[in-house]
Amino acid sequence: MLLLGALPGLVACATDFRPVLAALDPPNRATNVALSATPVIEFADDVAIDLQEGQRRFVLYDVTRGGRVTVPGRVEIDGRRLRYLPDQLLEVAHDYRIELAQDIASGDKLLDVDGSEWPDEPIAWPFTLTFRTRSGARVRALYQDFSRDFSRLVVRFSQPMDQTSDVERYQLFDATNTRIELAAPVWIADDTVRLDLRAQLEPADVYELWISRRIRSEDAFELDGNDNGVVGEDGDDYVVQFTGSQKVVRSRIAD
């Protein structure tokens, strides 16, 4: 009885912990980002930000073609938000990378976790966020949702998509290469599609998801399935293998 009585308190204490990152703009691995973008990182409630002028603990780099050039600009602190304000517009068709030092923010009961999207994902320090100012949708993240009595796959693309693509553009196979029936795609956001199955996948079995390169972004570009920044190639179908118990199939954090 004493143990049972203590459980609610233990649960309450656990829920006091929260992800250190609350919002990211643009989201990690986004494409077709506006040239006028001013990247924002928002921390959890009650986080204190410590950043003095001249310190390089929140920096935007141009990493196009493997380079690493600092983008001149200044950092604006607004409560628990950090905003990077470039001195000029970003370059067309360039790759960018933000690096954030761990000691820039402090607070109680913070987890090294990105809580800006479902599901929460653990992060490493220094935290990095990448994005592109060229169009070319890629699969930014892919998860399994176990909240129902049937399996669901949630695919997040890197930019808004044409939502008319039919189920034939998404195919799922088991280890014997037998196709598994998918329901019609359900768009839950302009960059996120949900693929519902008829039953649960077997936890230990291996499956393969195929997404046709013929699906298009809202601005009519085909999928950059191999994520090399070039669209329209023969190898641009997106193919990934995973197990039936794997929640994070394609992490939005890790490259």
Side-chain angles (χ1 to χ4, degrees), residues 142-201:
L142 174 57
Y143 306 105
Q144 282 196 80
D145 179 1
F146 301 114
S147 63
R148 300 291 187 274
D149 56 1
F150 55 90
S151 292
R152 287 174 159 177
L153 294 171
V154 177
V155 185
R156 290 213 173 100
F157 295 99
S158 58
Q159 63 187 78
M161 302 295 289
D162 175 1
Q163 299 182 19
T164 61
S165 54
D166 60 43
V167 70
E168 291 301 314
R169 303 293 171 92
Y170 308 88
Q171 296 183 21
L172 183 66
F173 302 91
D174 65 15
T176 67
N177 207 34
T178 300
R179 187 171 170 180
I180 299 171
E181 183 181 2
L182 296 172
V186 177
W187 288 91
I188 57 178
D190 61 6
D191 62 354
T192 304
V193 67
R194 194 185 73 222
L195 306 173
D196 293 346
L197 284 69
R198 305 300 186 186
Q200 292 283 8
L201 297 179

Side-chain angles (χ1 to χ4, degrees), residues 33-231:
V33 173
L35 303 184
S36 59
T38 56
V40 175
I41 293 180
E42 181 176 321
F43 296 96
D45 291 334
D46 302 323
V47 164
I49 297 175
D50 179 16
L51 182 63
Q52 306 300 318
E53 186 174 354
Q55 293 180 333
R56 295 177 57 82
R57 292 190 289 164
F58 178 46
V59 185
L60 176 64
Y61 295 98
D62 186 331
V63 293
T64 308
R65 292 183 293 277
R68 183 182 167 86
V69 179
T70 300
V71 175
R74 62 184 178 86
V75 178
E76 178 183 86
I77 302 176
D78 178 15
R80 56 194 176 103
R81 295 180 182 87
L82 280 178
R83 182 184 299 274
Y84 198 95
L85 299 166
D87 290 344
Q88 298 179 336
L89 292 178
L90 302 178
E91 299 286 342
V92 176
H94 275 227
D95 297 350
Y96 292 92
R97 176 186 179 100
I98 290 172
E99 293 188 5
L100 179 74
Q102 181 176 17
D103 60 357
I104 202 170
S106 60
D108 295 331
K109 298 183 177 180
L110 295 176
L111 300 174
D112 289 336
V113 167
D114 169 30
S116 63
E117 304 175 49
W118 175 91
D120 293 352
E121 281 203 51
I123 62 174
W125 297 102
F127 174 71
T128 61
L129 184 154
T130 62
F131 62 91
R132 293 174 179 164
T133 54
R134 69 170 65 87
S135 187
R138 52 184 172 178
V139 175
R140 189 171 68 81
L142 174 57
Y143 306 105
Q144 282 196 80
D145 179 1
F146 301 114
S147 63
R148 300 291 187 274
D149 56 1
F150 55 90
S151 292
R152 287 174 159 177
L153 294 171
V154 177
V155 185
R156 290 213 173 100
F157 295 99
S158 58
Q159 63 187 78
M161 302 295 289
D162 175 1
Q163 299 182 19
T164 61
S165 54
D166 60 43
V167 70
E168 291 301 314
R169 303 293 171 92
Y170 308 88
Q171 296 183 21
L172 183 66
F173 302 91
D174 65 15
T176 67
N177 207 34
T178 300
R179 187 171 170 180
I180 299 171
E181 183 181 2
L182 296 172
V186 177
W187 288 91
I188 57 178
D190 61 6
D191 62 354
T192 304
V193 67
R194 194 185 73 222
L195 306 173
D196 293 346
L197 284 69
R198 305 300 186 186
Q200 292 283 8
L201 297 179
E202 293 296 326
D205 287 358
V206 176
Y207 299 89
E208 182 175 278
L209 177 68
W210 172 89
I211 301 177
S212 171
R213 68 184 177 93
R214 300 297 184 188
I215 67 171
R216 294 178 180 271
S217 58
E218 199 172 64
D219 57 359
F221 285 93
E222 293 185 348
L223 184 70
D224 179 18
N226 60 12
D227 199 9
N228 68 350
V230 181
V231 299

Side-chain angles (χ1 to χ4, degrees), residues 1 23 70 84 195 242 247 249:
M1 290 294 291
T70 300
Y84 198 95
L195 306 173
F242 60 97
K247 184 172 185 176
V249 179

